[in-house]
Amino acid sequence: MKRLDRYLLSQLMAIFGFFALVLVSVYWVNRAVLLFDKLIGDGQTAWVVLEFTALTLPKVISLVLPVAAFAAVLYAINRLSGESELVVMQSAGASPWRLARPVAVFGLIVAALMLALVHELVPASRARLAERQAQVSQDVTARFLTEGSFQTPTAGITVYIREISDLGELLDIFLYDARGQRAETIYTAEKALIVPSEAGPKLVMFDGTAQTLRPSDGSLALTRFSDFTYDLGGAIGTGLRGRIDWEEVPSRDLIAPGPELLAATGSTVAAAHLELNDRLAQPLMAPVAALIAAAAMMLGGFSRLGLWRQIGLAVLALIGLQSLSNVATSMTRADPALWALHYMPALAGLAGVALALSWAGRRRKAPPLTAAEDRA
């Protein structure tokens, strides 16, 4: 790699690190605030909040890296232009294509980082996050069981607990279940325990009664029990996680998903291949975004006021590219057979970059000498 390439690449990497850190921090703090309000409101500890926010970090980084690469290229070239370094390079014979070479290498480095994220780190973090969310959802004591007050965790269910002991025992519990149209049941017990299970948390009540009222005939049935198990997870919707999402599956398992994986996701092989192609296309946006920024900045000449028009053009081009990506994603979700559309935004962006660099190179060619100038 020549000295010019190394110089430009070092500038881009340093600025990219700064923009990536700032953008990730802003995005992550925003997500952390939302999770903090939700989890703390549900009675979870600060450690759980920190764990959840950390598990969202790989996904945040994968979303931010292309934008950080785009901003780094804009800032670096604008600074080189303001300090007249870009003019010197162009005067020395560096064409727009030549100046775009280190930008392309920089974009490929960012794409390599994104490959590791979208194929390994993001699926692993998403799977762990889903698992932890299922575990936290079972912690119904922290969510809604408060001693000394009536709680309505869901429509048709009312719970009252006189006291919660240090051992987690629910003393003098009252549970009213009016979900059924044919009967309403009131459960009372001297003591109860919440027991986790594969199907969701169970409420095991001891030494109590169940009074069932049937409005159709006005009959009342009274049942005494020494122990009784109530499906608390099914009643309030806090069961363990059901089907897994394709985002939680490593890319190597998407190539040829087996019957067990298809049953766990409740999806098809076409959907798995669609997710795989989406992950393959995501890293391409990093070099394309960086090259778009470089090509737009090459269209302008030196100006003491900076290259603000070129920066605006680059931003508009990136917005158009993202809009095209959103359209392609919508179309592929509607019809998985159109998986090739995932690569359309990157190809369209590269075509635009080639046109812009060709136009910039043509503008900088010296005009042909006239006959008089040639004789002189």
Side-chain angles (χ1 to χ4, degrees), residues 263-275:
T265 57
S267 190
T268 60
V269 176
H273 291 167
L274 181 64
E275 175 67 20

Side-chain angles (χ1 to χ4, degrees), residues 59 63 126 245 247 267-268 270-271 274-275 278 282 325-342:
K59 181 66 174 180
L63 295 174
R126 298 285 291 184
D245 194 90
E247 291 185 352
S267 190
T268 60
L274 181 64
E275 175 67 20
D278 183 31
Q282 286 181 37
S325 177
N326 294 339
V327 172
T329 301
S330 300
M331 294 178 66
T332 53
R333 287 180 178 177
D335 186 1
L338 302 175
W339 56 267
L341 292 179
H342 279 304

Side-chain angles (χ1 to χ4, degrees), residues 40-312:
I40 294 298
D42 288 343
Q44 301 301 323
T45 63
W47 176 256
V48 175
V49 176
L50 181 61
E51 181 185 6
F52 273 52
T53 53
L55 289 174
T56 62
L57 192 56
K59 181 66 174 180
V60 171
I61 295 176
S62 67
L63 295 174
V64 164
L65 285 187
V67 181
F70 175 81
V73 174
L74 286 183
Y75 184 86
I77 296 181
N78 186 57
R79 189 173 71 177
L80 292 174
S81 176
E83 296 176 356
S84 300
E85 293 182 75
L86 185 62
V87 176
V88 173
M89 295 176 188
Q90 292 172 338
S91 301
S95 66
W97 288 97
R98 176 67 181 82
L99 294 174
R101 188 169 70 182
V103 176
V105 174
F106 163 70
L108 291 176
I109 293 175
V110 180
L113 296 176
M114 290 190 63
L115 278 173
L117 283 168
V118 300
H119 290 292
E120 292 295 335
L121 295 180
V122 172
S125 64
R126 298 285 291 184
R128 177 58 180 168
L129 181 61
E131 181 182 350
R132 290 291 292 122
Q133 286 175 336
Q135 293 173 356
V136 168
S137 69
Q138 287 202 90
D139 191 5
V140 290
T141 302
R143 289 186 58 198
F144 70 87
L145 296 184
T146 304
E147 59 183 20
S149 63
F150 287 90
Q151 302 291 323
T152 305
T154 188
I157 300 291
T158 302
V159 181
Y160 175 86
I161 301 166
R162 182 181 62 82
E163 183 183 356
I164 300 178
S165 69
D166 296 335
L167 299 177
E169 297 175 329
L170 312 179
L171 305 179
D172 294 335
I173 184 172
F174 168 90
L175 191 151
Y176 173 63
D177 187 350
R179 292 175 301 151
Q181 298 180 354
R182 297 182 178 181
E184 301 175 7
T185 305
I186 296 176
Y187 300 93
T188 58
E190 295 182 2
K191 184 175 65 174
L193 295 174
I194 296 177
V195 180
S197 68
E198 295 183 358
K202 306 292 185 182
L203 181 66
V204 182
M205 295 179 280
F206 302 94
D207 299 328
T209 60
Q211 304 177 55
T212 303
L213 173 65
R214 294 181 176 83
S216 59
D217 56 7
S219 61
L220 177 64
L222 177 64
T223 304
R224 299 184 184 275
F225 56 82
S226 59
D227 60 85
F228 179 80
T229 302
Y230 182 83
D231 185 7
L232 195 58
I236 63 176
T238 58
L240 290 177
R241 58 181 303 194
R243 293 179 177 177
I244 64 175
D245 194 90
W246 284 122
E247 291 185 352
E248 306 167 24
V249 180
S251 296
R252 58 182 177 273
D253 295 335
L254 296 175
I255 300 175
E260 294 182 358
L261 181 58
L262 295 176
T265 57
S267 190
T268 60
V269 176
H273 291 167
L274 181 64
E275 175 67 20
L276 179 61
N277 282 281
D278 183 31
R279 295 182 188 180
L280 292 173
Q282 286 181 37
L284 299 178
M285 295 300 291
V288 170
L291 288 171
I292 285 177
M297 298 296 278
M298 300 295 178
L299 292 175
F302 174 77
S303 174
R304 295 184 181 274
L305 300 178
L307 303 176
W308 297 109
R309 287 183 296 178
Q310 286 75 22
I311 292 175

